[in-house]
Amino acid sequence: MSGRPGRGAGPVTASELLSVVAARELAGRRTVFAGIGLPTLAVELAALTVAPGIEVVYESGVCGAHPSRLPETIADAVLITGAEAVVSMPALFGSVLQGGHIDVGFLGAAQIDRWGSLNTSVIGEWERPAVRLPGSGGAVEVMANAREVFVVMRRHTPRSFAAALDFCTTPGPDRALADGIRPLGVGVTRVVTELGVLARDGVGDELRLVAVHPGVTVAQVRAATGWELRTGGRVATTEPPTPAELRLLREDVDPDRVYLR
């Protein structure tokens, strides 16, 4: 007999909460460039719930992906099965992304600053890092060319939400403009974390707290953030995952617990 959770059974894990809240943010979006991991979970759940017509694009050149199971890496052959198109890297980055065809770039990160710049390279000093990370991949191009960017992060600590990044892998529009580079998109507009949701409207606006998860206080989120986090008005409380959303995640999206923890 399978040990998988049944319909809505068992406590909600952090991965499930992040995936559900992030999926809801995709309502009304048409095309999304998805990173591997929690972004993959979120877009697959969104396709079954709030965004049934969403078109998912992956960095390996797969457009309109319909994988029969969750991909374990960006090069997983399962991404090609049922895809609407597979294009070359020059076509993907030169035409799809730079052509302005992506509504949302969906990324993960190890660190983020108040303006939405990301670090996925090193934690600590470059020459002697405490942790060496995978690097940019296509995140720089996604940040510069998607109309907006969503970020999902498992940890919300002063180290991950940093006043100053240990290394800037992916500059947001504010930092890019300061260096004389004009991106097409507005950069990060939503960040979903284990504590709540942060948002910004675009260039010149810093991330602010707009929602906390049930049981979390504004003071807790501020204490876990490396800068003086503003709220910009009333802070909402996110709705907990419904039994239907949990069933879809556990039984349809990730029954083998590839990314759910």
Side-chain angles (χ1 to χ4, degrees), residues 108-120 123 143 149-153 155-167 170 188-193 198 200 207 225-227:
Q111 283 186 320
I112 187 169
D113 68 13
R114 71 178 70 199
W115 309 109
S117 291
L118 308 177
N119 173 20
T120 54
I123 299 297
M143 180 73 81
V149 173
F150 293 173
V151 178
V152 59
M153 297 179 66
R155 296 179 181 176
H156 193 140
T157 67
R159 189 73 183 270
S160 55
F161 284 75
L165 301 177
D166 291 355
F167 183 88
T170 309
V188 174
T189 58
R190 289 289 186 278
V191 184
V192 179
T193 86
L198 283 67
R200 62 190 288 275
L207 286 166
T225 304
W227 67 85

Side-chain angles (χ1 to χ4, degrees), residues 175-207:
R175 190 160 183 161
L177 285 167
D179 290 336
I181 301 168
R182 181 171 294 278
L184 293 178
V186 300
V188 174
T189 58
R190 289 289 186 278
V191 184
V192 179
T193 86
E194 61 182 346
L195 299 179
V197 180
L198 283 67
R200 62 190 288 275
D201 295 326
V203 176
D205 189 25
E206 65 182 69
L207 286 166

